[in-house]
Amino acid sequence: MLKLRLVLAMAILPLYLIAQSNEKSFTVKYITQPITVDGILDESVWEDAESAHGFQQFFPTDSVIAKQKTEIKMLFDDTTLYIGIKQEAAGRDYITPSLRRDYRAGNSDNITLLFDTFNDGTNAFLFGINPLGVRREALISGGGNDLRGFTTSWDVKWRGESKIHDNYYISEMAIPLTSFKFREGETKWRFNSYRFDLQSNERSNWTIIPQNQWVFNLAFMGDMHFEKPLGKSRTPLALIPYINGISGRDFENDISENNVKVGGDAKIAIGNGMNLDITLNPDFSQVEVDNFITNLTRFEVSLPERRQFFIDNSDLFSTFGGGRDANPFFSRRIGIAKDTDDNTIENKIIGGVRLSGKLNNNLRLGFLNIQTEEDEANEIASNNNMMLALQQKVFSRSNISMFFINRQSFDSPEFLDESEEYNRVMGMDYNLASADNTWSGKFYGHKSFQPNDSDGNYSFGAFTNYNAKNYGAFIDLVYIDEEFQSDLGFIPRNDIFKIASNFNKNFWPKDRKINNHSIGLFSIYTWRPGLDYQNTDYYYNLNWGAEFNNLSMLNADVTHRFIYLTDEFEPTGKDGAVALPANQGYHFTASTIEFQSDRRKNFSFGVMPTYGEFFNGTKFSVEGDLNFRLQPVVNMSMMFNYDHIDLPAPYARADIWLVAPRVDITFSKSIFWSTLVQYSSQRDNLGFNSRLQWRFAPLSDLFLVYNDNYYVNSFMPRNRSINLKLTYWLNI
């Protein structure tokens, strides 16, 4: 019996030690001595501060200690969290492509800190800094399971500086506690950090994260313990007024505009966990323009939200349902409408409020109410757009969420059809996330209500994902009733029952060139319930992909598709082209190869050619990008996409081009100039957008924005504008 106990003890001990090694923690000491944020760490209190150290490599492998040491120390007083970081390096040859705030981390040397202040493994605040002291911040939602939960549009005031030495650099940060949300009296936050060290070609984390997970996944974190309980949140009232001078001309409609707009936002903290955002006569002229996309499908394309007012706690509103098929709330619908010619135009937002955050450790609340203006000339009614959402945490990292959406027209103008007076949607989602993120999923049921139409109108879905280091798989089921409608949602098509599935096998060879490669099979089947469950679409994709240790990537796949057209469809977009007939099925197969070079180089590129059948003809496509930098001041890039479609007579042949060069110049950490040119033959548009930004005070900016658009074929002007906008962030 004793021998058996010894054998069991010897067998269990390594597992116990591994488990213990993952439970990292350190103490954040309370101080009263002032700290100067200069990247030097010469105050005596830093010597006694505990540190987070012993970083674990994430790339090229996740099973060894990082080559270059990283040490993070933290201190706090009544108002501020102070952070001192020492990062050893192989030399001074750092890659820092830009001086612009909110830089992209993956292609540069930098370190990022993640703070899960409610210890729920679902949401976190992110702060980062690079060797030149350039800063970034972001919000993480959805447990950090994918990039959809990574929001860089969030802004907050904080300080940071870096100093470069021969074989290391020091960063010092001061983040006001008002930048976080947390429970009063809290003594512990979950914490992790990840670092990109491009000189050693290494990515590392403080706590171990398996290489098959995202480097910012919140399932893998340690603990930071505060020496003294945190007090009540004292977030100040922030007023953000703006004034915008506009001069523009719409050449299509022969309309000129010379105007001055004023408005602004207010941010008010309610308790330790809630934010109240108020906007009045908002203006989004400084927001970057959307990238053009060549769309050869029958369905609408979803574009990301860039407007600051909709960003904070956006996951409370935008993650219901299925993002690809049945998302009931898509904030970009607000402020956009169709005119009498079915063209998409801006619909002015009068104002709105947005309340979001934590009611307690396990319950989150989101409430949004926005009023849009009536546009009688384009027969657009004034609408009140409202959403209420509740999210209750269950188990370790899962949650149950409920919502109610109401889009209600005002005054019922004569041009408004009775069926369009309102649209209401309600539903419930269960979001699954296991403690180690091996299993994740979603199950939901939604119902819409329209005037004189309350029967049926359902949307259901179920998604389950398994993500282990060597194997991955998911299955996704979607049902959308023919009459389901969400005016504030993104629903490309109704009347579908869809099953999508994927299986992939991952390989991790001990090769000096290939870091990992995988092979996978992805499939989609779609049936139409309204057509006696006729199978109208299916899609198979057999793919192989490899990531090399020099950070280049190679992918190849073969796809086979079947589409049964229930309505006629003309894929080239040419005027006068003969549409493919309805009630006919098409089988077509195509092959793709994609290569992405090492982004660490001053010049890098990506290219992806595709050739194969396309409906009853053929299609050759090539898309890619070219990037060149003179760090850290100048970044130049060009995205391109070419499609040659050859359909048999009497159908069309077409050459579709999309070319988009961009120049980004960062004169300093506070002055930025970017110019984007976009040529799209499909849109018949050549667009210029040039934006000069001067950040003259924290989160306070002066923008000069020039927009110009021309018809491609005639090179006649479409519209032109210039904006001079001043925003100022005032804490009261």
Side-chain angles (χ1 to χ4, degrees):
M1 190 66 177
L2 180 60
K3 291 183 178 180
L4 178 61
R5 290 178 179 175
L6 289 173
V7 170
L8 289 174
M10 293 298 292
I12 293 173
L13 182 60
L15 299 176
Y16 176 78
L17 292 175
I18 291 174
Q20 288 295 99
S21 67
N22 288 334
E23 297 176 358
K24 289 188 171 183
S25 66
F26 65 98
T27 298
V28 184
K29 292 190 175 182
Y30 178 79
I31 60 171
T32 55
Q33 176 182 334
I35 288 180
T36 302
V37 179
D38 51 14
I40 298 177
L41 304 185
D42 53 350
E43 291 86 358
S44 60
V45 289
W46 285 118
E47 297 179 6
D48 298 326
E50 291 189 19
S51 67
H53 56 275
F55 272 53
Q56 179 82 16
Q57 199 174 89
F58 177 81
F59 178 93
T61 180
D62 57 8
S63 58
V64 300
I65 297 295
K67 297 177 185 177
Q68 301 296 340
K69 293 181 180 180
T70 304
E71 185 178 33
I72 302 173
K73 293 184 176 182
M74 295 192 199
L75 302 164
F76 79 108
D77 59 22
D78 292 331
T79 63
T80 307
L81 177 67
Y82 299 96
I83 303 165
I85 310 170
K86 179 180 180 181
Q87 300 176 72
E88 296 183 1
R92 301 169 67 102
D93 190 20
Y94 298 106
I95 295 178
T96 52
S98 173
L99 297 173
R100 184 186 293 274
R101 190 164 175 161
D102 291 338
Y103 56 84
R104 182 180 176 183
N107 305 321
S108 64
D109 286 277
N110 64 90
I111 191 165
T112 298
L113 312 177
L114 296 164
F115 301 91
D116 176 4
T117 60
F118 283 93
N119 304 298
D120 59 11
T122 303
N123 297 84
F125 298 92
L126 178 151
F127 296 88
I129 196 167
N130 73 9
L132 298 181
V134 182
R135 292 166 287 159
R136 71 174 187 145
E137 61 274 301
L139 295 174
I140 304 297
S141 61
N145 289 340
D146 55 47
L147 286 173
R148 289 176 297 179
F150 198 108
T151 306
T152 58
S153 301
W154 176 65
D155 285 323
V156 71
K157 288 184 178 181
W158 61 285
R159 292 172 290 150
E161 294 291 343
S162 295
K163 296 289 184 183
I164 297 176
H165 303 269
D166 287 340
N167 295 304
Y168 66 94
Y169 72 94
I170 299 290
S171 295
E172 192 169 19
M173 304 159 66
I175 307 175
L177 291 175
T178 57
S179 301
F180 303 96
K181 291 296 179 184
F182 51 86
R183 184 176 61 87
E184 183 179 357
E186 187 63 79
T187 59
K188 179 184 76 100
W189 292 353
R190 297 174 75 244
F191 170 77
N192 200 7
S193 173
Y194 60 88
R195 176 188 175 188
F196 291 118
D197 177 8
L198 300 192
Q199 293 184 83
S200 299
N201 193 23
E202 180 177 69
R203 303 173 194 170
S204 57
N205 295 83
W206 180 51
T207 59
I208 299 172
I209 295 183
Q211 206 169 355
N212 60 294
Q213 303 285 349
W214 289 97
V215 72
F216 52 85
N217 193 281
L218 304 185
F220 309 91
M221 306 186 81
D223 294 330
M224 49 184 287
H225 296 273
F226 292 94
E227 190 175 55
K228 174 183 174 183
L230 296 173
K232 186 175 181 180
S233 176
R234 290 185 293 273
T235 303
L237 165 65
L239 297 179
I240 314 165
Y242 79 85
I243 181 171
N244 183 18
I246 308 164
S247 179
R249 182 170 177 80
D250 180 349
F251 292 92
E252 292 182 87
N253 299 303
D254 194 23
I255 299 173
S256 296
E257 178 187 17
N258 293 283
N259 194 12
V260 175
K261 293 176 62 177
V262 294
D265 297 339
K267 294 180 176 291
I268 304 169
I270 299 178
N272 281 51
M274 299 291 294
N275 292 323
L276 176 62
D277 294 279
I278 303 172
T279 188
L280 181 64
N281 194 28
D283 174 83
F284 306 108
S285 59
Q286 85 285 0
V287 176
E288 290 189 60
V289 297
D290 291 319
N291 294 327
F292 286 177
I293 294 175
T294 299
N295 184 9
L296 300 178
T297 74
R298 297 161 287 162
F299 311 113
E300 180 186 13
V301 175
S302 172
L303 295 171
E305 178 62 82
R306 300 176 185 271
R307 297 171 295 181
Q308 180 68 28
F309 177 77
F310 295 97
I311 297 302
D312 198 10
N313 287 311
S314 61
D315 65 296
L316 264 172
F317 304 91
S318 62
T319 57
F320 286 95
R324 294 179 180 273
D325 300 291
N327 183 354
F329 183 78
F330 180 49
S331 60
R332 285 182 63 107
R333 296 286 187 223
I334 302 175
I336 300 293
K338 296 282 188 179
D339 64 13
T340 52
D341 295 323
D342 204 38
N343 297 314
T344 299
I345 63 172
E346 181 182 355
N347 182 210
K348 182 181 176 182
I349 296 175
I350 299 172
V353 297
R354 194 168 175 274
L355 177 66
S356 62
K358 286 268 193 177
L359 292 174
N360 56 47
N361 267 13
N362 296 320
L363 181 61
R364 300 174 73 204
L365 166 69
F367 174 76
L368 178 147
N369 193 289
I370 295 177
Q371 187 72 35
T372 57
E373 188 176 67
E374 180 178 324
D375 183 351
E376 185 176 358
N378 289 297
E379 297 187 358
I380 300 169
S382 175
N383 283 288
N384 182 260
N385 307 275
M386 187 275 288
M387 182 175 184
L388 174 67
L390 290 168
Q391 183 186 94
Q392 174 68 42
K393 177 186 174 184
V394 294
F395 308 119
S396 60
R397 299 175 60 241
S398 303
N399 63 72
I400 295 175
S401 303
M402 297 175 288
F403 73 90
F404 175 70
I405 297 171
N406 184 48
R407 195 275 307 157
Q408 179 79 50
S409 64
F410 263 51
D411 298 330
S412 298
E414 292 182 0
F415 57 75
L416 186 69
D417 189 271
E418 182 184 356
S419 63
E420 299 177 353
E421 288 184 0
Y422 68 83
N423 170 246
R424 294 163 188 154
V425 189
M426 61 187 302
M428 178 180 293
D429 288 33
Y430 171 66
N431 298 288
L432 166 70
S434 64
D436 62 358
N437 210 56
T438 300
W439 289 96
S440 60
K442 175 186 282 284
F443 307 90
Y444 63 87
H446 304 160
K447 178 176 172 57
S448 69
F449 303 86
Q450 295 84 239
N452 304 315
D453 183 13
S454 59
D455 294 333
N457 307 339
Y458 291 109
S459 170
F460 298 106
F463 172 78
T464 303
N465 180 62
Y466 176 76
N467 183 16
K469 186 167 184 178
N470 296 322
Y471 294 94
F474 72 73
I475 185 167
D476 185 20
L477 286 77
V478 176
Y479 171 84
I480 305 175
D481 190 84
E482 187 173 8
E483 300 298 325
F484 180 78
Q485 177 181 334
S486 181
D487 290 351
L488 300 185
F490 178 77
I491 304 168
R493 56 175 169 169
N494 295 67
D495 187 31
I496 64 167
F497 174 59
K498 188 190 86 169
I499 299 178
S501 63
N502 181 76
F503 175 81
N504 60 277
K505 174 70 172 74
N506 306 319
F507 303 90
W508 308 88
K510 295 181 179 180
D511 187 284
R512 293 186 178 181
K513 294 184 178 181
I514 297 180
N515 179 267
N516 67 83
H517 64 102
S518 64
I519 186 169
L521 178 63
F522 174 60
S523 66
I524 305 176
Y525 273 89
T526 304
W527 295 267
R528 293 285 302 275
L531 299 177
D532 294 327
Y533 283 89
Q534 179 181 348
N535 177 214
T536 57
D537 302 77
Y538 62 73
Y539 172 87
Y540 296 110
N541 177 276
L542 179 64
N543 57 80
W544 173 83
E547 183 178 15
F548 298 91
N549 281 328
N550 68 357
L551 301 184
S552 62
M553 294 182 291
L554 179 65
N555 297 284
D557 62 39
V558 177
T559 62
H560 177 73
R561 186 188 296 268
F562 168 72
I563 294 178
Y564 183 86
L565 292 178
T566 56
D567 298 294
E568 64 178 24
F569 173 59
E570 205 297 297
T572 68
K574 293 181 68 174
D575 291 336
V578 177
L580 297 170
N583 302 316
Q584 186 170 329
Y586 299 86
H587 296 262
F588 45 103
T589 302
S591 301
T592 301
I593 295 177
E594 179 183 9
F595 177 73
Q596 177 63 63
S597 71
D598 183 358
R599 292 289 192 188
R600 295 174 300 171
K601 305 296 185 182
N602 288 336
F603 173 76
S604 62
F605 68 93
V607 62
M608 186 175 70
T610 300
Y611 179 75
E613 300 164 313
F614 185 67
F615 288 95
N616 58 350
T618 61
K619 178 169 73 74
F620 169 71
S621 300
V622 58
E623 62 178 280
D625 62 87
L626 307 172
N627 297 272
F628 178 72
R629 70 171 183 265
L630 296 171
Q631 69 173 31
V633 178
V634 180
N635 277 271
M636 295 181 287
S637 65
M638 185 175 73
M639 184 274 290
F640 61 89
N641 187 27
Y642 168 69
D643 295 282
H644 173 71
I645 300 174
D646 191 354
L647 305 181
Y651 310 109
R653 300 179 63 186
D655 293 291
I656 302 173
W657 286 94
L658 173 59
V659 182
R662 179 193 294 268
V663 178
D664 192 56
I665 302 175
T666 55
F667 298 101
S668 68
K669 293 179 187 178
S670 59
I671 301 178
F672 322 117
W673 180 32
S674 63
T675 298
L676 172 65
V677 181
Q678 298 190 90
Y679 166 83
S680 171
S681 61
Q682 186 184 55
R683 289 180 172 226
D684 189 21
N685 194 82
L686 174 64
F688 299 85
N689 174 261
S690 189
R691 187 176 74 151
L692 180 66
Q693 177 185 359
W694 173 32
R695 177 148 286 184
F696 60 88
L699 300 184
S700 302
D701 300 281
L702 179 67
F703 293 95
L704 180 63
V705 183
Y706 174 73
N707 283 292
D708 206 353
N709 290 275
Y710 295 83
Y711 289 103
V712 168
N713 296 324
S714 60
F715 202 68
M716 294 293 291
R718 302 181 74 161
N719 54 72
R720 182 179 300 145
S721 67
I722 187 166
N723 295 64
L724 182 63
K725 181 177 180 179
L726 176 71
T727 66
Y728 188 74
W729 187 297
L730 177 65
N731 285 343
I732 298 178

